[in-house]
């Protein structure tokens, strides 16, 4: 199948593009900027554009059988000096459904909207968080564009852990530097925890959704429920340091409170539906392996 991964120059979309190409699909990627030349995505056909600006018209999407949309906006993408709520309204409430409507007009047969777990796993957070409401709007708005002959499926993922060969990471490189003792932050984690999932598991879930997903369905995917202490401990273990992290009711600079929508000290725990996990065909218990890959790519101190 001819597949376009929108957001395929980034981490999650890039990993999905590499995975789908390995399965024998004809993969192209799209994004605002050209792929990093050190990554495998640099060898894939590239379509430049910004979905928020409406660049992916039906004419540009013609010829693709499948689309994976992995370019959803979160607070990191809001431009400085922009109105936060207004940007998210345009990016998620409006531009995502418009993109899927363009896919339908172009003759795309199946499209996946990669979304966030918060609206499904913690719906109580919707009332007080404009970002989470915008993610729900994107999920519902994308699936509302489905028609006979055009299937739309949402895959809603939790905290993600992993690497793409050659791609820098503003998250995981500092984690490894901290774990190796190269960043002077004390060895502690905030209280609370959440569900985590590896890039590999997610790419498998996206593939399963394309092949076997039920049209109009929103799948809540995930893997392991871990405290933030146990999660960060994996990085110290992978760095080969004999350090046991403390758990503190204090903000951690590498995971600030703004990145914990449920609030420090609270959890988002769930077990993904067993039948849905089997249908999508993704691996479980993969977080430690993902952290070891991160250490191999970004670490300088070897165990």
């Amino acid at each position: 199948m001819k597949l376009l991964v929108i957001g395929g120059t980034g981490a999650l979309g890039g990993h999905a593009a590499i995975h789908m190409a390995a399965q024998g699909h004809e993969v192209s990627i799209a994004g605002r900027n050209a792929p990093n030349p050190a990554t495998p995505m640099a060898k894939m056909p590239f379509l430049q554009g910004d979905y928020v600006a409406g660049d992916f018209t039906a004419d540009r999407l013609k010829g693709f059988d499948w689309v994976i949309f992995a370019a959803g906006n979160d607070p990191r993408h809001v431009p400085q000096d922009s109105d936060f709520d207004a940007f998210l309204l345009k990016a998620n409430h409006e531009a995502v459904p418009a993109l899927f409507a363009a896919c339908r007009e172009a003759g795309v047969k199946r499209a996946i909207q990669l979304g966030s777990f918060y609206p499904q796993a913690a719906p109580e957070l919707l009332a007080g968080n404009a970002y989470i409401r915008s993610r729900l709007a994107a999920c519902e708005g994308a699936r509302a564009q489905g028609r006979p002959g055009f299937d739309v499926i949402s895959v809603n993922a939790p905290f993600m852990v992993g690497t793409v060969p050659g791609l820098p990471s503003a998250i995981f490189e500092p984690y490894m530097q901290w774990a190796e003792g190269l960043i002077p932050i004390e060895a502690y984690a905030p209280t609370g925890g959440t569900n985590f999932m590896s890039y590999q598991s997610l790419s498998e879930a996206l593939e399963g959704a394309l092949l076997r997903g039920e049209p109009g369905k929103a799948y809540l995917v995930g893997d392991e429920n871990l405290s933030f202490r146990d999660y960060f401990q994996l990085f110290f273990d992978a760095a080969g340091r004999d350090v046991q992290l403390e758990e503190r009711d204090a903000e951690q600079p590498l995971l600030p409170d703004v990145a914990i929508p449920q609030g420090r000290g609270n959890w988002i725990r769930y077990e993904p539906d067993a039948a849905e996990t089997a249908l999508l065909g993704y691996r479980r218990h993969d977080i430690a392996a993902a952290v070891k890959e991160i250490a191999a790519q970004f670490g300088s101190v070897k165990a």
Side-chain angles (χ1 to χ4, degrees), residues 171-187:
I171 296 174
F172 296 119
E173 288 184 67
Y175 282 9
M176 283 310 305
Q177 291 168 1
W178 173 48
E180 292 175 346
L182 303 178
I183 294 179
I185 296 174
E186 292 183 75

Side-chain angles (χ1 to χ4, degrees), residues 107-124:
V108 173
K109 298 178 180 64
R110 286 173 77 83
I112 305 297
Q113 183 257 340
L114 174 57
S116 168
F117 74 140
Y118 289 115
Q120 279 183 287
E124 68 277 5

